[in-house]
Amino acid sequence: MDNTTAVGINGPMKGVRVLDWTMYQFGPVAASMMGDMGADVIKIESLDGDIGRAVARMSSRPIGLEGGRNAYFETCNRNKRGIAVDLKTAEGRELVHKLVESSDVFIENYRQGVPERLEMDYDSLKKINPKLIYASGTGYGPLGPDSAKPSLDGCGQARSGLMMSATQQSQTEPSYVAGAVSDQMGGIILCLGVISALYAREQSGVGQRVDVSHLSSTMWLQGLAVSMQLLSGYHYRSTDRKNPLNPLVNAYECADGRWIQFMSAQFQRYWPDFATALGISDLIDDPIVGDIKGMAAGSPELTKIIADRFKTKTVDEWIDIFNQYKDLIFAKVQSVEELENDPQVIANNYITNFDHPVIGEVKMCSFPVNFSETPAGIWKEAPELGQDTESILIDEMGYSWDDITKLQESGSIL
């Protein structure tokens, strides 16, 4: 289907129309990624809007912006047009069904039973458009005893094992990874599933349903750990910093309280340069490193010597020294706040400047893939509630102003 209306960039998904009937983050992120790639994404909301519009705080911090906007909704819903429809009315359902006729993708992330009750389920919509890709985001998958249970990000992190993977061995309480990463990963995988199904449709001409859950996507985020556990029985957890198997795969605190993470996994290859840079070259062949060379065990004694040395210089002083050894693999531990000034982030445009019509000049995290010929980008702010309802109905669906008035009077649209 050739849907090119209103899309401001020539991305790899230009010409694809996506109906985004989702809320919060999981589903909206998937649709927003498609919008970044040039798809025409129409966000379908109830008359009181996606609940994400009301998120005023996240991690106990205020995220409100000018004009009644909030950073959460803006981030998850950029590059979309928006309509507000009451799907509890027959007229509202008919409107969306008409949109389905000319659309390629329909995304939803509601609890089991809700789409069926509102005639927005896969079986209903594929009768209207057999080529439709119908994508569902759930908590725990479409089958099984917990398939109907609701879920939010923390539930995905908890059940998938991510919380325990992020928990230091010395801790007794589980660690929550900030930024709602189970929701974010769910959106990424859901987007991947849709793109794969669109490719399959090009080969077969057949639409299909795509299902992704918090559980499946967050398990895949840890795919190496999960599969290693299944194959070998090895319990993959965070490293004990005081006694790592390999002290060259460890984080160390510097004199200024900043940290540096080393990932020089091949100990015998990197140890001489590492020890020389650290000023402990006398230990290169010391018996204390014997077991480590064989990767049979760690050495708390050597790790303490290394840790004490790191505390004699600031992180930037150490980076200047280690940069002289081109093979060593390491990175400064940064906060999210530091990313916009990172020279690599700047050079590769990983953060985008965007002129928001309400907020003004803002910066946002860019789409993570660079395309040489069909670049992705940010071309539109998140829509106000029902912002594009009238223009879509009149300009693209053949409705008249009299029809609009009747729909408004019946409470089917804003």
Side-chain angles (χ1 to χ4, degrees):
M1 298 177 185
D2 184 19
N3 296 304
T4 58
T5 305
V7 176
I9 61 171
N10 188 33
M13 290 190 71
K14 190 175 182 69
V16 173
R17 172 170 283 177
V18 178
L19 300 183
D20 172 25
W21 184 46
T22 66
M23 58 181 176
Y24 278 126
Q25 182 177 354
F26 188 160
V29 163
S32 183
M33 290 179 71
M34 296 176 209
D36 287 358
M37 290 187 283
D40 177 19
V41 181
I42 299 175
K43 184 173 179 67
I44 302 168
E45 298 181 72
S46 62
L47 301 193
D48 54 0
D50 178 347
I51 196 170
R53 291 183 180 275
V55 177
R57 304 180 71 87
M58 193 166 182
S59 299
S60 301
R61 296 181 180 180
I63 57 173
L65 303 171
E66 294 180 23
R69 309 276 182 141
N70 75 68
Y72 179 85
F73 188 82
E74 291 294 321
T75 299
C76 297
N77 291 283
R78 69 194 193 193
N79 290 343
K80 301 177 184 180
R81 298 189 288 164
I83 64 173
V85 183
D86 186 354
L87 293 176
K88 295 178 182 178
T89 68
E91 296 87 350
R93 293 193 295 274
E94 180 185 1
L95 189 161
V96 174
H97 286 172
K98 286 184 178 180
L99 275 173
V100 167
E101 292 176 5
S102 60
S103 297
D104 300 282
V105 179
F106 186 94
I107 306 178
E108 63 86 18
N109 66 339
Y110 286 84
R111 293 179 64 174
Q112 275 187 7
V114 175
E116 290 79 5
R117 187 167 64 249
L118 297 175
E119 299 176 15
M120 294 295 143
D121 57 296
Y122 178 52
D123 288 338
S124 297
L125 299 190
K126 75 175 181 179
K127 293 176 183 176
I128 299 169
N129 181 355
K131 291 188 175 183
L132 186 71
I133 305 303
Y134 186 100
S136 295
T138 65
Y140 308 110
L143 304 174
D146 295 331
S147 59
K149 282 189 174 182
S151 175
L152 288 173
D153 173 76
C155 300
Q157 291 196 35
R159 188 145 186 182
S160 69
L162 179 62
M163 280 187 175
M164 295 312 300
S165 294
T167 300
Q168 294 292 324
Q169 293 184 21
S170 59
Q171 290 178 231
T172 57
E173 72 282 1
S175 292
Y176 175 78
V177 182
V181 295
S182 186
D183 272 339
Q184 192 76 9
M185 193 62 185
I188 294 168
I189 299 299
L190 192 59
C191 179
L192 171 64
V194 167
I195 293 171
S196 301
L198 285 170
Y199 180 79
R201 191 183 71 177
E202 287 297 307
Q203 315 305 310
S204 66
V206 178
Q208 62 180 298
R209 180 169 182 164
V210 175
D211 284 286
V212 173
S213 69
H214 277 138
L215 182 57
S216 70
S217 57
T218 314
M219 285 177 64
W220 185 251
L221 176 61
Q222 309 168 90
L224 175 66
V226 173
S227 291
M228 284 176 60
Q229 170 77 47
L230 294 170
L231 289 168
S232 69
Y234 174 72
H235 185 45
Y236 201 97
R237 288 192 60 183
S238 59
T239 301
D240 179 357
R241 288 190 301 100
K242 294 183 178 180
N243 184 25
L245 182 64
N246 180 354
L248 303 195
V249 179
N250 202 19
Y252 294 100
E253 186 179 13
C254 302
D256 54 356
R258 299 297 302 268
W259 292 75
I260 187 167
Q261 174 70 48
F262 263 84
M263 291 299 298
S264 299
Q266 296 170 272
F267 183 86
Q268 294 188 61
R269 173 181 175 181
Y270 296 114
W271 170 240
D273 280 352
F274 179 85
T276 301
L278 207 59
I280 53 174
S281 56
D282 57 308
L283 295 179
I284 289 176
D285 294 314
D286 193 281
I288 198 173
V289 303
D291 285 341
I292 297 174
K293 286 183 177 179
M295 295 301 291
S299 171
E301 297 82 9
L302 179 59
T303 300
K304 185 178 186 309
I305 292 171
I306 294 171
D308 289 344
R309 285 293 299 166
F310 269 101
K311 290 184 178 180
T312 64
K313 299 182 187 296
T314 67
V315 68
D316 288 334
E317 289 173 332
W318 281 122
I319 287 175
D320 286 341
I321 291 171
F322 287 118
N323 277 341
Q324 299 173 37
Y325 299 82
K326 301 303 181 183
D327 285 344
L328 293 177
I329 304 171
F330 63 92
K332 182 196 291 188
V333 177
Q334 296 192 138
S335 64
V336 170
E337 293 87 343
E338 293 176 282
L339 293 177
E340 65 179 294
N341 297 315
D342 186 310
Q344 285 302 119
V345 172
I346 295 169
N348 291 283
N349 295 313
Y350 292 153
I351 288 178
T352 296
N353 291 312
F354 175 64
D355 189 12
H356 193 289
V358 175
I359 304 168
E361 188 75 18
V362 297
K363 294 181 178 181
M364 300 185 78
C365 192
S366 303
F367 190 79
V369 181
N370 287 322
F371 299 96
S372 65
E373 305 302 323
T374 55
I378 302 174
W379 56 273
K380 187 182 182 303
E381 75 286 355
E384 294 187 74
L385 180 59
Q387 176 178 322
D388 305 288
T389 305
E390 293 175 355
S391 63
I392 291 173
L393 266 61
I394 292 174
D395 298 339
E396 301 174 33
M397 299 179 67
Y399 284 75
S400 67
W401 279 110
D402 286 341
D403 295 328
I404 297 294
T405 300
K406 291 177 182 178
L407 288 168
Q408 289 174 335
E409 289 176 347
S410 71
S412 299
I413 64 172
L414 281 182

